[in-house]
């Protein structure tokens, strides 16, 4: 059985703080006149505060308040349906943003392998690098750690009633079992489940899988059922409520088992779903992926070839 709705012409809407659900409502009549069948929305779940694109999701359980929240999304979706327009959503299963507003990530930094979310992220807890056992390397400093400490840029501060390790505007959690005095910063840093490091050491020592080489995007272990369910609960509610009618899956090649992922999504459908699969040359789309095709990069590449010598 195929999807109940197949788009004929989509139009991309890049939501951010400067283009919210309310503003998107204002262009729906224009899109209808163009002959668009479905709006194709960028990721809508809460991302980092500075995000302009939404691919650095920090919470899969909340529609971004910066875009208008769930109520704003429902209002936009209703306005689209009144005009016969459907909605495809860009879903990001491969990674999350590592901003300190990501409660899952912060819990991992606070509790290390003992965190309830330690197995949510693709972390090597026993890497070959000395001193990194049961720690996460965070290559975020502008110089070597001892120099940053000496400069006073790293310090202990109080935030919302608890002590944190502060670096510029970033506030890193302190492990509850830490024994060092707050005055002995070097020892306190050694007792954490993360190691703050010079950003240049990242390519050589980092022990979590990133999205390409972007330190701020930490990869998920989506093959684990508990991770899949936790990241897709609200999405499936949106689908069940008829607010989302199709999915565009961001970079499934990063997943440990893309086929398994697509099958799990389709058990809630069937739903129209395309994969952002970059096909090289005559490489075919895997026939056993239960998707309706690619996002079209392969077609556009061939089309552009007509006009380029």
């Amino acid at each position: 059985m195929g999807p109940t709705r197949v788009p004929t012409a989509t139009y991309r809407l890049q939501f951010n703080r400067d283009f919210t659900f309310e503003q998107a409502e204002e262009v729906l009549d224009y899109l209808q006149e163009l002959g668009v069948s479905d709006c194709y929305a960028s990721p809508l779940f809460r991302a980092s505060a500075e995000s302009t694109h939404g691919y650095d999701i920090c919470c899969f359980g909340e529609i971004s308040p910066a875009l208008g929240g769930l109520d704003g999304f429902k209002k936009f979706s209703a306005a689209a349906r009144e005009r016969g327009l459907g909605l495809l959503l860009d879903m990001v299963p491969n990674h999350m943003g590592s901003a300190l507003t990501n409660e899952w990530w912060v819990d991992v930094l606070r509790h290390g392998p003992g965190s309830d979310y330690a197995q949510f992220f693709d972390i090597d807890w026993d890497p070959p690098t000395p001193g990194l056992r049961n720690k996460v390397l965070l290559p975020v400093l502008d110089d070597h750690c001892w120099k940053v400490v000496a400069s006073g840029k790293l310090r202990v501060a109080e935030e919302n009633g608890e002590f944190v390790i502060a670096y510029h505007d970033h506030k890193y959690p302190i492990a509850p079992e830490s024994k060092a005095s707050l005055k002995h910063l070097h020892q306190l840093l050694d007792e954490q489940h993360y190691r703050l490091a010079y950003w240049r050491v990242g390519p050589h020592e980092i022990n979590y899988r990133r999205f390409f080489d972007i330190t701020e995007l930490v990869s998920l272990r989506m093959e684990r059922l508990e991770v899949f369910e936790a990241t897709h609960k609200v999405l499936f509610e949106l689908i069940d409520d008829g607010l989302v009618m199709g999915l565009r899956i961001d970079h499934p090649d990063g997943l440990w088992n893309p086929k398994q992922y697509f099958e799990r999504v389709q058990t809630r459908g069937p739903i129209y779903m395309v994969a952002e699969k970059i096909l090289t040359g005559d490489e075919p789309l895997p026939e056993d992926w239960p998707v309706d095709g690619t996002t079209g990069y392969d077609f556009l590449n061939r089309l552009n070839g007509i006009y380029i010598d």
Side-chain angles (χ1 to χ4, degrees):
M1 182 186 297
T4 56
R5 181 186 177 92
V6 177
T8 56
T10 63
Y11 191 99
R12 167 81 172 188
L13 296 175
Q14 178 59 61
F15 288 100
N16 53 50
R17 68 177 73 90
D18 297 318
F19 187 71
T20 64
F21 299 135
E22 185 176 359
Q23 290 166 300
E25 279 190 59
E26 299 173 4
V27 303
L28 289 177
D29 287 335
Y30 169 66
L31 299 183
Q32 184 184 35
E33 292 175 10
L34 283 181
V36 169
S37 69
D38 293 73
C39 299
Y40 154 35
S42 61
L44 303 182
F45 296 113
R46 177 166 61 79
S48 67
E50 303 81 18
S51 183
T52 59
H53 48 77
Y55 288 92
D56 50 345
I57 294 171
C58 289
C59 178
F60 282 97
E62 180 182 12
I63 299 291
S64 175
L67 307 183
L70 180 58
D71 289 341
F73 176 63
K74 287 182 176 179
K75 187 172 179 291
F76 164 73
S77 181
R81 287 200 306 274
E82 288 174 5
R83 293 162 176 81
L85 299 174
L87 181 69
L88 275 72
L89 182 59
D90 200 334
M91 182 60 181
V92 187
N94 180 62
H95 53 265
M96 293 184 78
S98 63
L100 296 176
T101 52
N102 182 341
E103 294 179 2
W104 294 353
W105 183 241
V106 170
D107 197 80
V108 169
L109 299 184
R110 179 177 283 113
H111 298 289
S115 167
D116 290 340
Y117 305 101
Q119 299 303 318
F120 273 47
F121 300 100
D122 205 348
I123 300 168
D124 182 356
W125 291 106
D126 191 17
T129 304
L132 268 188
R133 181 178 171 81
N134 292 333
K135 292 179 181 283
V136 177
L137 182 75
L138 299 181
V140 297
L141 303 179
D142 59 9
D143 208 333
H144 294 289
C145 189
W146 66 270
K147 291 184 178 180
V148 178
V149 171
S151 72
K153 294 179 183 177
L154 264 176
R155 56 191 176 82
V156 175
E158 191 171 351
E159 181 85 359
N160 298 324
E162 66 177 29
F163 290 109
V164 296
I165 295 171
Y167 176 65
H168 296 299
D169 294 333
H170 306 294
K171 307 294 191 299
Y172 295 94
I174 293 178
E177 67 270 22
S178 294
K179 299 181 177 61
S181 164
L182 299 181
K183 295 180 181 179
H184 296 90
L185 185 54
H186 279 294
Q187 185 178 342
L188 185 67
L189 288 170
D190 286 342
E191 292 177 353
Q192 303 314 306
H193 295 291
Y194 53 87
R195 195 182 90 199
L196 296 171
Y198 188 19
W199 67 268
R200 289 185 181 275
V201 310
H204 311 290
E205 298 183 8
I206 199 157
N207 63 324
Y208 65 84
R209 183 168 61 87
R210 302 174 288 179
F211 175 67
F212 289 97
D213 61 352
I214 303 175
T215 300
E216 294 78 17
L217 297 178
V218 55
S219 295
L220 289 162
R221 298 184 66 188
M222 191 55 66
E223 69 275 10
R224 297 179 67 93
L225 185 58
E226 67 270 26
V227 179
F228 177 85
E229 291 177 343
T231 53
H232 287 67
K233 180 178 184 295
V234 172
L235 173 65
F236 288 146
E237 290 173 358
L238 298 178
I239 293 172
D240 292 343
D241 291 342
L243 302 177
V244 171
M245 295 138 188
L247 297 173
R248 179 265 199 194
I249 305 301
D250 183 69
H251 286 283
D253 279 342
L255 302 176
W256 181 77
N257 191 335
K259 177 176 178 286
Q260 175 200 69
Y261 173 78
F262 292 128
E263 289 174 343
R264 283 177 173 170
V265 174
Q266 291 291 22
T267 60
R268 297 297 299 256
I271 189 171
Y272 179 82
M273 183 164 50
V274 293
E276 187 191 15
K277 169 67 174 170
I278 301 173
L279 301 173
T280 302
D282 294 327
E283 178 189 1
L285 183 68
E287 293 182 359
D288 59 352
W289 286 8
V291 297
D292 295 280
T294 71
T295 49
Y297 296 157
D298 46 333
F299 169 75
L300 289 176
N301 191 45
R302 292 176 183 272
L303 184 66
N304 288 338
I306 298 174
Y307 302 104
I308 299 173
D309 185 350

